[in-house]
Structure formats: structure tokens, C-alpha cells
Amino acid sequence: MKQITDYLKANEQRFIDELVEYLRYPSVSAQSVHNKDMIACARWLANHGKAIGLKAKVHKTDGHPIVTLATPRRRNSDRPHFLVYGHYDVQPPEPLELWDSPPFDPQIRGRNLYARGASDNKGQHFAHLKAVEAYLKTGTELPCDLTFVVEGEEEVGGEALVDFLKQNKRDLKCDGVVVSDTGMPDLKHPALTYALRGVAALEVRLDGPDRDLHSGIYGGSVENPAMALSKLLAQLIDKNGRITVPGFYDDVAKLSAYERKQMARVPFSETKYKKLLGVKALFGEKGFTPNEHRAARPTFEINGLTSGYQGEGSKTIVPSHASAKITMRLVPHQDATKILRQVARHLKTLCPPTMRMTVELGHVADPYIVAPTGHLAKAALKSLKSAFGHEPVLLREGGSIPIVEHFARILKVDTYLLGLALPDDNLHSPNEKMDLEVFTRGIQMSAHLWTDFAEA
Ligand code: BES
Ligand code: ZN
């Protein structure tokens, strides 16, 4: 390990410079103007892997390409094989005016590297790549075979990787998957995440009059679609923060006393949390704590609400339609497809006779949970401790990584979620960043991991 640690120390600055290069690609999967940037970014990653000594391939898909990088595998070797998953696509950077430096012109301020994708997710999977580089470049034998699978559709709930897993089951047969795409509370609390929420997306639209109408001539005699949609959506959460869709909670696994106790151990200050988010007061389902709300309880969120005139000044109209983009976060053992159908059906029953309703079903991801008690989980905890110098915590997280559940279902393996994002890293927000101390320790953690895994 000494040789590896020395190599990592000696190359620390270069690793950061390379990450900066990677972050320059505006690989925004949601925006088709960036399709070429997606390809360029995938190729950069593949070339980078090749230069380190990995077998690199860019796989075409119906959507954005998938990159695989594999350590040279020996024939008939009985060494364990692990996958490292990541995504090179990033969220749209808008609103641009809220960034202190341009999202794709990475800049270091203090201990942080600012850029869209810095922690979600380029910095996090790049850390693993650099650890493997240290093994390969120092001629240290890796105690296992590794395949990096880096996709370009995570942020849009794309399905290309699901098909890829099904088609490449044999090559991807492995003993476990490592994913760094979650968080850790702070540098003193490295974390192993053992549950993720799922997600179900839909769009609901109400159509009233066949065009925007003069609100003075017609207003009062026809129902206003914006008002109708507001009333309809407002019924979906009651005063206790409970979702009112019939059957919504039927399959929700109850939180055990043990889990609630563990969750209460995760550091949390209400004052700091409110300040971090800039809110006056917190809100949440009655009977649960904020840590439970955001990690282990389902939600119903309006992501976007549109109707009528939104330009400068005023316009006296009854808008012709109103629509809302909605996602729900789901918890074990809710079935995302079933929930989506239930909610769509319920919405239809709430449609007033004055409106025509369309419900468009969107992407789904099932929630994930695994017992963090096996040999490999213990080994991962050990690696975290070696790199960060502190006892790791076990977390449930509220975000979703859709493919993780498919690793379990298709490849029949567990995923070890070793998050390297801090709570103030601004994932999906302006001024996203990666803490470079976390990045460096993340590389060390990964270097330990393969040895600790092999021993387990
Ligand atoms: N890295 C996040 C997921 C995440 C963040 C998990 C923090 C746990 C803690 C990932 O890139 C993400 O944003 N996923 C999307 C998936 C969705 C588009 C299907 C999400 O959770 O919104
Ligand atoms: Zn994300």
C-alpha cells in the first residue's frame, strides 16, 4: 500500500488538473443541443482510461453512449470481479446568473472545485479511476478485476443502461457494484449508504377554453384552468403532510425502532439546516424527523407549474390550459410503476367537469435497500475508516440512482454506495462543487477498497 500512497501523494495536483479537464465538457443529458458534447465527453473518458492502461470502449445506444473501462482480465482467473458505476451526464446548469463562475469553466476557490458535475458525478467516479491508475502505474497487482460502467443518462432516468446490462450479463457478471454518487454528512462522518428512494414522474395537464380568453369579457363564466389545477394539486397533501392518493402508503415498509435510532445518530442541526437551505421553517409529514422525511418517507413534489402569461407586466386573460410536472420519491417496498398508475387514476377522478385532463406517465425507478451487514459491507466500512480516519456512519439517502435496483435484479448483486458529496456541494443547484479534500481521501478510500474487498 505504501507504493500506492506515495504515488497518490506525488500526483495529487495532476489528478485535480485532469478532473478540471473532464468538467469542461457540458455533458447535459437533458438538452439535445449538447448531444455532441455528450459524445465528446464519453470519448475523453475512454481515452483517459486507455492512457491509464484500461481496456476502454464507447458503446452506442439509442440514447447517450455508455463507456466501459476494464482492467486487463486474465483468462480463467478466479479473482473476484467488481463493477464501478458512475455517470458522466450532468444536470442543466440553469439559472446561469446564479453561478459565481461559469458552470463549465471549473474554478478552485479555497478547498473547493466549482463546476456543474463536480460532485454529481464526475469527481466521485473519477476518484475511483485514479485509485486504479495508482495500482496499474506502480505495477502493484490489483487483487480483483474491475470494470467501470459510466453512463450518460442517469440524470434523465434513461433506460439505455438497463438494456446494456441485459445484453452484457455475462461480461458484467460480478461479485458486487461500487457506486460513489451519494453523500456523506461531513469529513468526520464518511458514509456507507444502504438505501435509496425510488422515483416516479408524470405530467398532468388541464385544458379549458381552446385559446386564452379576455378575462373581462369571459372571466367568471368559464373555470380558470390554473385555478382548477391549483385546487386539484392542493388536495393531494393533507395538513399533516400525508399524501392523499388512496393506497399510496399500502406497501411502505415500516421504519424499525432500530433504524430510527440509527437515523437519529446522523448529525443534524435544525438551525444549520434551515440556514443551509434558506428556509424560514421546516415542513414535513407529522410523526417523523427531518432526517426521516428526506431519506425514508415518500414524497409528492411539483417540480414545475405552468399556466398563462409569464412575461413582463400584466395580461388580463383566462389561460387556456395549465400543467404541472410531478415526481414522487418512493421508499421500500413501493413499486414505482404501480404507484404511477394509482396516482394517474386518482388524478382522473379529481378532474372537474369543466376541464379535459391529460396525464403523461414519465420515468420510474424502484427504491433500493440492502442489509449493510455482509463481508463486503464490512470491508467497505474499513476502507472508509482508513481513508477518512473516522468511524463511518450508515445512511439511508433520499436521492435515487435508478440503475442500482437493476444491478440487483439483473446481475443479482448488491451495490455498495460510498458517497463523496458533502451537504453543501450544491448538487443540481447553482455553484455545484467538489471538496478537494474529500476527492483526495476518496481516492485513498478506493485504493484501500480493492484490497479490503479481496481480503473479505
Ligand atoms: N447523485 C444523485 C443521487 C443522489 C444524490 C443520491 C444525493 C443520494 C444523495 C443522482 O445523480 C441523481 O440526481 N439522480 C436523480 C435520478 C432521477 C433523475 C431519476 C434524482 O435522484 O433525482
Ligand atoms: Zn444528480
Side-chain angles (χ1 to χ4, degrees):
M1 195 50 71
K2 168 99 172 58
Q3 239 189 330
I4 301 240
T5 326
D6 289 348
Y7 181 90
L8 295 181
K9 187 101 216 101
N11 292 282
E12 208 175 295
Q13 185 54 46
R14 175 172 58 84
F15 295 165
I16 296 169
D17 296 343
E18 289 169 352
L19 176 58
V20 165
E21 245 185 272
Y22 190 18
L23 289 169
R24 285 192 195 283
Y25 290 91
S27 45
V28 184
S29 50
Q31 301 173 341
S32 52
V33 290
H34 288 297
N35 285 356
K36 285 215 174 81
D37 299 314
M38 293 297 293
I39 296 171
C41 186
R43 288 202 181 129
W44 182 90
L45 182 62
N47 285 332
H48 193 87
K50 219 175 275 171
I52 296 174
L54 297 170
K55 203 172 125 203
K57 219 170 151 186
V58 177
H59 307 260
K60 284 212 179 89
T61 72
D62 287 344
H64 300 299
I66 295 164
V67 179
T68 55
L69 308 168
T71 52
R73 276 168 91 174
R74 280 184 266 124
R75 256 170 206 288
N76 304 324
S77 109
D78 53 3
R79 301 198 306 174
H81 178 211
F82 296 102
L83 303 188
V84 181
Y85 163 84
H87 59 94
Y88 67 88
D89 67 324
V90 304
Q91 285 277 324
E94 287 80 6
L96 296 175
E97 66 279 11
L98 293 185
W99 285 78
D100 295 329
S101 53
F104 300 109
D105 179 9
Q107 304 210 349
I108 296 174
R109 291 193 288 281
R111 222 177 56 195
N112 293 314
L113 172 58
Y114 289 84
R116 172 56 90 228
S119 49
D120 189 8
N121 168 257
K122 288 172 177 168
Q124 294 204 49
H125 63 262
F126 200 64
H128 288 283
L129 204 55
K130 294 293 102 179
V132 172
E133 172 186 321
Y135 277 89
L136 297 176
K137 293 288 182 190
T138 57
T140 313
E141 190 180 336
L142 259 168
C144 46
D145 293 321
L146 297 178
T147 304
F148 285 77
V149 180
V150 186
E151 70 158 316
E153 299 188 345
E154 197 272 350
E155 298 291 10
V156 289
E159 292 277 311
L161 188 54
V162 178
D163 295 334
F164 186 81
L165 292 189
K166 287 181 187 154
Q167 285 154 14
N168 295 277
K169 238 165 139 173
R170 190 145 11 108
D171 281 348
L172 298 176
K173 184 176 181 313
C174 63
D175 300 280
V177 186
V178 170
V179 178
S180 290
D181 192 23
T182 48
M184 58 191 282
D186 55 50
L187 266 159
K188 293 200 170 110
H189 295 86
L192 172 68
T193 289
Y194 66 95
L196 294 167
R197 285 194 289 190
V199 65
L202 63 84
E203 206 163 329
V204 55
R205 175 177 163 125
L206 291 183
D207 276 276
D210 64 2
R211 60 195 183 280
D212 291 353
L213 301 176
H214 191 298
S215 65
I217 302 177
Y218 302 106
S221 67
V222 288
E223 186 165 21
N224 182 311
M227 187 59 87
L229 185 62
S230 305
K231 277 203 268 183
L232 189 155
L233 293 174
Q235 294 170 51
L236 293 172
I237 295 192
D238 71 13
K239 64 176 195 307
N240 293 324
R242 295 269 300 183
I243 296 151
T244 57
V245 178
F248 190 88
Y249 291 94
D250 283 1
D251 301 327
V252 170
K254 215 173 154 236
L255 275 175
S256 68
Y258 175 77
E259 270 201 297
R260 299 191 80 171
K261 206 168 126 198
Q262 291 306 310
M263 238 174 272
R265 282 186 50 214
V266 178
F268 181 80
S269 144
E270 182 161 334
T271 316
K272 278 196 200 142
Y273 191 66
K274 283 197 293 200
K275 187 148 177 262
L276 175 72
L277 306 184
V279 293
K280 262 174 66 183
L282 298 187
F283 170 84
E285 186 185 356
K286 208 168 154 190
F288 295 92
T289 67
N291 270 342
E292 291 168 350
H293 288 146
R294 65 200 194 103
R297 296 298 297 168
T299 65
F300 184 99
E301 304 282 358
I302 302 172
N303 307 127
L305 195 53
T306 313
S307 184
Y309 180 68
Q310 324 231 340
E312 196 182 348
S314 68
K315 190 178 183 197
T316 44
I317 53 162
V318 176
S320 79
H321 59 269
S323 64
K325 289 182 191 284
I326 289 164
T327 53
M328 290 151 277
R329 294 286 168 174
L330 308 174
V331 300
H333 302 290
Q334 287 178 297
D335 175 327
T337 310
K338 181 173 151 192
I339 290 282
L340 203 55
R341 270 195 237 115
Q342 273 173 341
V343 173
R345 207 182 308 131
H346 185 59
L347 285 172
K348 289 267 158 85
T349 67
L350 297 179
C351 180
T354 51
M355 298 285 147
R356 284 174 302 271
M357 177 185 279
T358 26
V359 179
E360 199 182 310
L361 305 185
H363 59 83
V364 287
D366 282 324
Y368 179 73
I369 191 160
V370 65
T373 49
H375 293 304
L376 292 175
K378 286 197 185 118
L381 291 170
K382 184 171 167 222
S383 311
L384 285 167
K385 182 161 183 196
S386 308
F388 287 91
H390 292 277
E391 211 55 62
V393 290
L394 294 173
L395 290 187
R396 287 182 68 152
E397 288 247 62
S400 312
I401 308 172
I403 201 67
V404 168
E405 211 273 330
H406 294 283
F407 288 137
R409 206 182 303 207
I410 301 169
L411 303 180
K412 312 257 183 287
V413 286
D414 290 343
T415 294
Y416 303 89
L417 297 151
L418 305 166
L420 300 174
L422 294 178
D424 66 349
D425 275 354
N426 292 322
L427 277 67
H428 296 203
S429 299
N431 298 313
E432 180 178 348
K433 67 170 182 72
M434 175 100 202
D435 182 305
L436 292 172
E437 166 96 26
V438 174
F439 177 62
T440 301
R441 289 189 187 270
I443 301 174
Q444 290 162 9
M445 179 273 289
S446 179
H448 283 285
L449 190 63
W450 312 120
T451 306
D452 291 339
F453 265 8
E455 276 170 13

